[in-house]
Amino acid sequence: MKRTFLPLILLPVCLSAEIFSARLGHFETASEAEGARARLSAGLAPYCVTYAEPGEYSVRCLVGSRDADIRQMAVALGVGDFETVKDDPGRIRQLFIDHLYETARAQGAPAACDASRMLAEAFPGDGAVLKQYATLLFWSGRTGEAATQFGRLVSLDPVYRNDKVYLQVRTTLLLEKGEALLEEAPAEVPALIDGEPEAVRNAYDAMLLRVRALIRLGALPKAEAADRALLERYPASAEAEAILTDLLRWQGKYAEAAERLQQSYTLNANRETGKKLAALYLEAGEPGKAEALLETLVAEQPGDLETTRLYVTVLLRLHEKSKAGAAVSALDGQALVTFRKTYPQLYCRTMVHAFEAGAEFAGYSDNRDDDGRVYAGVEVPIARSVLVATAERVWRYGLYDTNVRGELYGAFGNGTWGYLSISAAPDADFLPRYSLGGHLYKGVGHFEFGMGYVYSHYKESDTHLLVPEYSLYFGDRYTWNQKFYWIPESGSYALLNLLKYESACRWEAMLSYTRASSSEKVDIGNVFSHTDADMFRGEGSYRLTPEWMAGAALFYDHYRSDTATFDRRGASVYVKRYW
């Protein structure tokens, strides 16, 4: 049963090296004493502990060292019935250390800081008390003050240099200073980290800071090595794994980057990681893998415009234009309008209907008749394929031929596509009277390899034309292509070298050079090659609107034979309408 209880005390700030406490009340059980202590206001409770005495319990609170100070304050507050007790230092010290840690856990470190300061002043040379005060300061976010107190502590006993909280304090100060340097002087950050103890250098945040500084310096190989060291020590870090993927990608190590990201995606198949993995596959030159992944993501959330954009980009890279157009058309009302406004250049590339008309004119340096052609053609989707049909009127050698041809393009998945071709000019004098052909292409990384065959029946003979080729893609805009035309019967050949630049739905430009042997039967771009022919061509087109494009080309051919040398010069123009 409670006999007396002091409801409020004022704590003076004057302490000596001795420890005194105010004894408040007398209680028969520890629970009664704890209940009384708990009823003190939140501001006073941290300064008081339940104290076991012979046969009873009391509440003991930290006070100043002089009775006169306490009595004067007690009289001013109208408080009486207490006594000041000089305590056993060892016993009261440990009680307060335990109590203040419990208070910090229950109410937060700031609630225990001031009482801990008083205890540290009462025991100025006690390492455990000073460590508690420094720790509570750190837990309260007062890192600078915590560092000062830990400095005092380390000067008392160097063993505290390895204290876990002290190392955390040093790490926090390192990070604060390092973050400031990261913007203005990232080169100083690694040296700053190297000046810390090993435990600080190996802290997760410190290792991550080093990686970020090296990235800012552009030292990507060093950043990669530092990030791998970080992952070796902290293998579960998703952040470090994501940074390593970026570092590998920035250095062109696409295959390894995709492999690591695929492992992360397998463990945690979230949507954002899936889109990032698909984009990485595209950069790595593996659009087939990206297509399968994006097809699933688009099906899961059809209205996600960013995923649709990436999906359409991959399909166009795979020459699946009809499928790309269908993916855009599948967007509902407002989503389609937003897609057209947000990605106008990409949208115009998915237009699967087109009409084209043009003309080409050429003259010779000798007395040969001029040649040329006029043509018109359409491009229309058929199921998942695209049909290109063209009719043309060609004149050469003073003769005129009319030709109709068609090409059916289709994609077979996994980066494989091709087309079949057919042409007919029944009464032709110099063009094939009919031809049949097929071409197949396969993408491998940034390369695309192809093989074609064309059988042509002329007025007086037949030819078999083989066309192996390859293309190398430099990003999304530049393409290098080499194509070898070869007629086995005569051994005639032509080697085409072409560089193409494409700014989606804006500019296209091509430069080509062809070296050809003599043959009256190799038809390249509707121009028959002759002995030792060198052919130069430059072409450009501009998308006036998403629906209209205009283009022109200039060409110069130089021919040499045993009997003559002559040049051929000309130009072509064309317009194209999309819908």
Side-chain angles (χ1 to χ4, degrees), residues 302-303 305 327-341 347:
L305 297 187
V328 174
S329 300
L331 294 171
D332 294 331
Q334 187 57 46
L336 177 58
V337 173
T338 304
F339 187 91
R340 293 181 61 177
K341 291 181 178 179
Y347 174 74

Side-chain angles (χ1 to χ4, degrees), residues 2-14:
K2 171 183 171 183
R3 297 202 295 268
T4 61
F5 175 63
L6 181 63
L8 179 67
I9 68 169
L10 184 67
L11 302 177
V13 296
C14 179

Side-chain angles (χ1 to χ4, degrees), residues 499-561:
L499 178 64
K500 180 180 179 180
Y501 167 82
E502 179 180 6
S503 175
C505 287
R506 188 60 62 189
W507 285 100
E508 286 187 19
M510 290 183 286
L511 293 173
S512 69
Y513 164 68
T514 302
R515 172 71 175 178
S517 73
S518 63
S519 173
E520 295 296 326
K521 301 300 182 183
V522 176
D523 185 356
I524 304 173
N526 293 318
V527 178
F528 281 80
S529 68
H530 298 269
T531 301
D532 296 329
D534 295 295
M535 305 175 182
F536 303 88
R537 185 180 183 93
E539 181 178 338
S541 62
Y542 182 72
R543 201 74 169 250
L544 303 171
T545 69
E547 293 79 20
W548 285 96
M549 182 177 73
L554 295 173
F555 53 87
Y556 167 76
D557 304 334
H558 180 65
Y559 299 90
R560 298 178 303 279
S561 68

